[in-house]
Amino acid sequence: MDRVLTELKPLFDSLDELPAPFTAQQLTEFAAGLGHDDDEGVRTEQPKARSRR
């Protein structure tokens, strides 16, 4: 297990850096739009896809 985690550490470090250029508000708004189960286990609706013109 230690070897696996050691091998994957660079990947995990890179993933941790991905949201750095975004503000907390941007990340919150993005996450809110994903659609997920709320605390009661109720599935929220995902937003409709926007058309690209």
Side-chain angles (χ1 to χ4, degrees):
M1 183 64 136
D2 288 338
R3 180 171 177 245
V4 170
L5 292 175
T6 299
E7 294 288 329
L8 292 175
K9 186 176 182 334
L11 173 67
F12 294 144
D13 290 343
S14 295
L15 289 173
D16 284 343
E17 295 171 10
L18 284 177
F22 301 99
T23 66
Q25 181 179 357
Q26 288 172 317
L27 293 172
T28 301
E29 289 173 2
F30 175 77
L34 291 177
H36 61 279
D37 291 346
D38 65 13
D39 292 339
E40 285 80 39
V42 176
R43 174 65 83 177
T44 59
E45 186 175 330
Q46 290 189 351
K48 305 274 189 276
R50 290 188 245 169
S51 62
R52 295 182 186 179
R53 295 179 195 207

